[in-house]
Amino acid sequence: ADAGGKLIFVGKTPHLSPGLQGYRKKGKEITEISEAILKKHPGTTGVVPVPGKDLIEWYGAIQQQFSLKPYIRIDSPVYHVNQLHYKDATKDIFFFSNYSAQYAHSFSIGFDTKKTAWIWDAETGQRFLYPVTGDKLKISLGPSESRIIVFDSNGEGEKYSAADLAHSTETVLQGPWHLDLYPVGRGPQKTELDQLTDLKQIADHKDFSGTIVYHKELEIPDADGKIYLSLGHINDVSEITLNGRSLGTRWFGDHIYDLSGSVQKGVNYLEIKIVTTLGAYTKSLKENKAAREWSGGELFGPTGLTGPVKLLTT
């Protein structure tokens, strides 16, 4: 506090000493120190209430009261999106994380720096110049998605371009869907669905955990342009194969795949592999005490694809 730091006590000031030996005397000393700090630095120290249900509003009030100026300003903060700020000699590194497996979130951040914004792709190691409008940049995070934004003095490089799916033409893929099921602890099975549905809602598969492979023939009249496949909201791991070619795996964010370059005019053969958690399987082990203890409560999210699965053409 003497050096200019801001000291904020939440709920109450320190008043107890660690340990039992001489705790009354030491506790009194700590109380006196706390009171002296508050008295000496009334503008940069203080006691704030314990936060209630709205943590964002609570902290916003603290920012105003103590003139806390953040490095970046988020226009629409939510509980399920957090950020961490790291610094080294030349860079400011931000890690944004959406820890909701159900909800996406888009927001803008304002910043006050002469450095250049970059996006670092943790999967590929590639780096791209991030688009900036004025002193703001926009970030969109799908469910369970994270992003690394780095402010660097280097201003030369390839520009980042995201697919513009907001203006795409949507085609919903209809049934039937042919499924190969590979449940944990049992042999493979086959079934057919006229409409995609949560497997937990089907009596024969309500305890399913394992791998599901959905087979579908696609008729593509025009293979020009960019074509994407959106699997809708799922909580599992997905993998796509089109005409025998693997198009990658998704386990976070929006499960959207670029089919361009693999799609062909006419008939295409699509495989969608979904690997689930073991939640439904462990809940079915009624005689296993450990499984019962670790799998209580309702299962979160559907098992497999529930749709709609869409082709997006731009």
Side-chain angles (χ1 to χ4, degrees):
D2 288 341
K6 298 185 179 183
L7 195 56
I8 302 169
F9 300 114
V10 180
K12 52 187 156 185
T13 56
H15 59 285
L16 296 175
S17 72
L20 293 176
Q21 187 174 13
Y23 73 91
R24 285 192 176 91
K25 179 182 177 182
K26 292 178 181 178
K28 183 180 179 182
E29 292 175 354
I30 290 174
T31 299
E32 292 173 350
I33 292 171
S34 300
E35 292 175 349
I37 292 173
L38 291 172
K39 185 177 180 180
K40 186 177 181 182
H41 304 281
T44 57
T45 63
V47 183
V48 300
V50 174
K53 292 183 178 180
D54 195 336
L55 190 66
I56 294 174
E57 182 181 9
W58 173 82
Y59 186 69
I62 292 176
Q63 282 185 307
Q64 284 191 329
Q65 179 180 348
F66 293 94
S67 301
L68 301 179
K69 186 178 180 182
Y71 189 89
I72 61 169
R73 303 175 302 279
I74 299 175
D75 68 345
S76 55
V78 292
Y79 288 101
H80 55 87
V81 174
N82 281 354
Q83 62 90 12
L84 295 174
H85 178 198
Y86 300 89
K87 292 178 70 71
D88 73 357
T90 61
K91 300 179 182 67
D92 285 276
I93 304 167
F94 289 88
F95 178 73
F96 295 91
S97 179
N98 177 12
Y99 56 87
S100 170
Q102 186 173 6
Y103 299 108
H105 186 59
S106 296
F107 55 96
S108 294
I109 65 171
F111 55 90
D112 184 17
T113 179
K114 300 297 184 183
K115 297 178 182 178
T116 303
W118 292 75
I119 180 172
W120 287 12
D121 190 327
E123 284 191 282
T124 66
Q126 294 178 299
R127 307 176 186 185
F128 301 96
L129 292 171
Y130 202 81
V132 175
T133 303
D135 65 344
K136 290 189 175 183
L137 55 87
K138 188 175 180 62
I139 297 177
S140 296
L141 298 176
S144 302
E145 188 173 15
S146 59
R147 188 148 298 162
I148 301 174
I149 303 294
V150 178
F151 289 94
D152 194 340
S153 56
N154 178 20
E156 299 294 329
E158 184 179 350
K159 293 182 178 180
Y160 174 76
S161 61
D164 181 17
L165 300 180
H167 302 93
S168 61
T169 301
E170 297 184 355
T171 303
V172 177
L173 300 186
Q174 305 294 341
W177 294 83
H178 303 280
L179 279 63
D180 292 334
L181 304 172
Y182 301 92
V184 173
R186 288 178 287 171
Q189 305 168 359
K190 291 182 179 292
T191 191
E192 183 176 306
L193 298 177
D194 291 329
Q195 182 176 340
L196 293 173
T197 186
D198 180 0
L199 291 190
K200 290 199 299 293
Q201 306 304 316
I202 302 175
D204 291 343
H205 306 296
K206 63 183 180 64
D207 297 328
F208 181 88
S209 294
T211 300
I212 315 164
V213 182
Y214 296 80
H215 299 271
K216 181 79 177 163
E217 286 189 4
L218 302 180
E219 183 71 33
I220 306 294
D222 185 358
D224 295 332
K226 301 288 286 185
I227 302 177
Y228 298 85
L229 181 72
S230 172
L231 302 185
H233 178 72
I234 59 176
N235 295 312
D236 302 313
V237 180
S238 68
E239 182 180 353
I240 295 295
T241 301
L242 183 67
N243 298 322
R245 180 182 177 184
S246 175
L247 300 184
T249 303
R250 300 282 187 276
W251 64 93
F252 60 84
D254 296 315
H255 290 245
I256 297 177
Y257 292 83
D258 187 352
L259 306 186
S260 311
S262 299
V263 70
Q264 60 192 19
K265 184 177 180 179
V267 178
N268 293 259
Y269 299 93
L270 173 67
E271 286 188 3
I272 305 172
K273 180 189 289 186
I274 303 294
V275 180
T276 77
T277 67
L278 294 179
Y281 172 70
T282 56
K283 286 183 74 69
S284 71
L285 302 177
K286 305 300 184 183
E287 304 303 319
N288 188 313
K289 181 180 178 181
R292 292 201 313 272
E293 291 176 353
W294 284 99
S295 59
E298 294 296 322
L299 288 172
F300 178 74
T303 299
L305 296 175
T306 58
V309 174
K310 302 176 182 178
L311 286 179
L312 309 176
T313 305
T314 63

